[in-house]
């Protein structure tokens, strides 16, 4: 089986998968011509354009024609879910979300990596102007910023997250395509200090109208109305919820091999 991975630094994971699954073809998706551009595009880019670029890249790879498994790390996970919903060819078999933010975030307590100045700048911008046109088109984190205190603004102006989460209308194609997955695996990090709220890693979020109480996926309108097909997938045993000790994207190699590798065969 083929595997497609999306994260900021994939060398170690790619090598481990290739060692554990002899003969596997692993494509590490990069947005840009090099690591520097890929890193910059993780902060400043149009996510919808990124998704289209990845869709084209996958469609043009003959080794993926028969289908592939996808693994996304952090924000790469919701971007790959958009690929599954928008681009059914070649078919995605399993989607593994490692610390993904499927209901977005409402806080940026700590950025991964060493970009503290960029992190502070982005946090200030998100708190004030997340739904303005320029930010929605050019600031990646604004495109999955989910403000529970301004739900109407979020649903109206969120160009990426509100679309893939069926907030404005139900796109039956998105729903049909996502349900083609054999498994949708979501990994939550129990001591995550980067993602706020951490419940978003299991598709939960803050209850609308306040910023303290959270709700699970199963308690949400998205699930109860089955706007994205997640309830049907859950009943069919296609949703897998995993948790591991550690901060954001911090996991033991043994845990990865035991819990995630089986979905890549």
């Amino acid at each position: 089986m083929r595997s497609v991975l999306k994260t900021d630094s994939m060398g170690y994971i790619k090598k481990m998968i290739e060692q554990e699954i002899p003969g596997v073809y692993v494509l590490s998706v990069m947005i840009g011509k090099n690591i520097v551009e890929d890193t910059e595009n993780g902060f400043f880019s149009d996510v919808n354009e990124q998704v289209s670029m990845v869709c084209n890249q996958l469609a043009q790879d003959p080794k993926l024609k028969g289908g592939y498994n996808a693994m996304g790390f952090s924000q790469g996970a919701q971007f790959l879910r958009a690929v599954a919903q928008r681009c059914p060819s070649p078919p995605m078999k399993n989607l593994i979300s490692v610390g993904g933010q499927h209901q977005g975030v409402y806080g940026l307590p700590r950025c991964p990596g060493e970009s503290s100045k960029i992190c502070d700048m982005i946090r200030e911008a998100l708190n004030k102007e997340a739904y303005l046109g320029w930010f929605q088109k050019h600031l990646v984190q604004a495109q999955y910023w989910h403000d529970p205190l301004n739900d109407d603004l979020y649903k109206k102006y969120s160009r990426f997250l509100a679309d893939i989460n069926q907030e404005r209308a139900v796109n039956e194609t998105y729903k049909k395509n996502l349900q083609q997955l054999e498994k949708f695996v979501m990994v939550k990090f129990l001591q995550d200090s980067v993602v706020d709220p951490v419940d978003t890693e299991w598709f939960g979020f803050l209850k609308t109208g306040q910023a303290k109480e959270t709700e699970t996926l199963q308690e949400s309108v998205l699930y109860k109305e089955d706007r994205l097909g997640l309830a049907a997938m859950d009943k069919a045993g296609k949703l897998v919820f995993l948790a591991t000790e550690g901060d954001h994207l911090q996991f033991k190699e043994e845990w990865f091999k035991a819990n995630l590798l089986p979905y890549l065969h």
Side-chain angles (χ1 to χ4, degrees), residues 171-208:
N171 183 323
E172 292 295 341
T173 299
Y174 284 3
K175 187 174 180 178
K176 176 183 176 182
N177 289 344
L178 189 64
Q179 290 182 89
Q180 297 306 307
L181 289 174
E182 295 173 9
K183 295 290 183 181
F184 179 10
V185 182
M186 288 172 271
V187 177
K188 178 196 290 187
F189 292 91
L190 296 177
Q191 286 79 42
D192 203 314
S193 66
V194 174
V195 175
D196 186 16
V198 70
D199 308 74
T200 188
E201 295 179 351
W202 276 3
F203 233 122
F205 203 64
L206 294 160
K207 294 181 179 179
T208 301

Side-chain angles (χ1 to χ4, degrees), residues 114-182:
E114 303 299 326
S115 305
S116 59
K117 291 184 179 180
I118 294 178
C119 186
D120 291 341
M121 180 181 68
I122 291 175
R123 183 185 296 110
E124 183 177 357
L126 290 173
N127 285 329
K128 295 179 180 179
E129 301 170 319
Y131 299 120
L132 294 183
W134 187 92
F135 290 94
Q136 278 296 306
K137 189 169 177 61
H138 298 289
L139 183 58
V140 169
Q141 287 69 32
Q143 294 166 69
Y144 58 87
W145 185 258
H146 187 169
D147 187 343
L149 303 178
N150 290 286
D151 195 54
D152 290 342
L153 287 178
Y154 158 66
K155 289 180 177 178
K156 185 176 181 179
Y157 294 111
S158 172
R159 297 181 69 249
F160 173 70
L161 188 68
D163 177 67
I164 66 167
N165 282 2
Q166 310 274 52
E167 298 283 13
R168 288 184 283 267
V170 174
N171 183 323
E172 292 295 341
T173 299
Y174 284 3
K175 187 174 180 178
K176 176 183 176 182
N177 289 344
L178 189 64
Q179 290 182 89
Q180 297 306 307
L181 289 174
E182 295 173 9

